[in-house]
Amino acid sequence: MLGVPRVLEADRGEYEEGQHRQISVDMPRTNPNVQLFQDERVQQCLLRLLFVWAMRHPGTGYVQGMNDLATPFFCVLLCDAVGCTDIPETSEGISDEILNHVEADTYHCLSRLLDAVQDHYTFAQKGIQKKVFELRRLTRRVDSALVEHLEEIGIDFLQFSFRWMNCLLMRELNMPCVLRLWDTYISE
């Protein structure tokens, strides 16, 4: 995002430092199965856009997992910008101008997504709690024996579905499946 590097180098307060530090720690963990996200230039794009989002949303700030939520948008927008069908493995040969545009567009798309699920990332994560409750209710309707079995052995839906809801299945599915699934999520 144009001009953001100057902001990142400016004096930051304790909150800003904490947010920057957490995002930086999460960068190497970002979608590790897609080589592109291990690329330093791509990680810097994601770091900047997540930091700007966190500064613009101090009530929520950055929460672990948001880094992965940016990746489907980045893939689609980068492939569109460079005219490819497969996700590139590196940013080699991609101009800074293209990466800046992909970064800015990814920020916009991620912002729209997070605006819709912001209660997933506030105190007590009420949005995720609601989704887990809905999953339990639907599962009970479809397979009550399964729900009863899980309850008998002491497994709460929150134990296995929290990450599903927090990361919108990013860590459970490969990128082509995520792109297809998110295309459906977003279009409906």
Side-chain angles (χ1 to χ4, degrees), residues 129-176:
Q129 299 284 343
K130 181 180 174 187
K131 295 295 182 195
V132 170
F133 176 80
E134 288 175 21
L135 177 63
R136 182 184 299 118
R137 184 182 56 78
L138 287 171
T139 305
R140 184 177 301 281
R141 200 165 75 191
V142 173
D143 192 347
S144 61
L146 172 62
V147 175
E148 289 171 19
H149 175 70
L150 292 173
E151 289 171 351
E152 285 172 12
I153 60 174
I155 296 178
D156 186 4
F157 270 70
L158 194 60
Q159 291 172 306
F160 61 85
S161 63
F162 177 84
R163 189 171 86 168
W164 299 353
M165 306 303 174
N166 189 46
C167 297
L168 303 177
L169 297 173
M170 282 295 310
R171 295 185 180 159
E172 282 66 37
L173 303 172
N174 65 31
M175 186 58 79

Side-chain angles (χ1 to χ4, degrees), residues 50 53 60-71 110 114 121:
L50 289 164
W53 192 90
T60 306
Y62 172 78
V63 176
Q64 194 172 27
M66 288 180 177
N67 54 322
D68 287 322
L69 296 179
T71 62
L110 180 66
L114 292 176
Y121 306 105

Side-chain angles (χ1 to χ4, degrees), residues 118-132:
Q118 195 158 357
D119 62 348
H120 282 44
Y121 306 105
T122 56
F123 178 74
Q125 299 171 309
K126 291 182 186 339
I128 290 177
Q129 299 284 343
K130 181 180 174 187
K131 295 295 182 195
V132 170

Side-chain angles (χ1 to χ4, degrees), residues 61-103:
Y62 172 78
V63 176
Q64 194 172 27
M66 288 180 177
N67 54 322
D68 287 322
L69 296 179
T71 62
F73 298 119
F74 197 92
C75 287
V76 168
L77 294 163
L78 181 63
C79 285
D80 184 59
V82 299
C84 64
T85 54
D86 294 326
I87 301 165
E89 290 190 8
T90 70
S91 65
E92 188 176 328
I94 300 172
S95 72
D96 288 341
E97 180 181 8
I98 288 175
L99 282 179
N100 285 338
H101 286 288
V102 169
E103 179 181 338

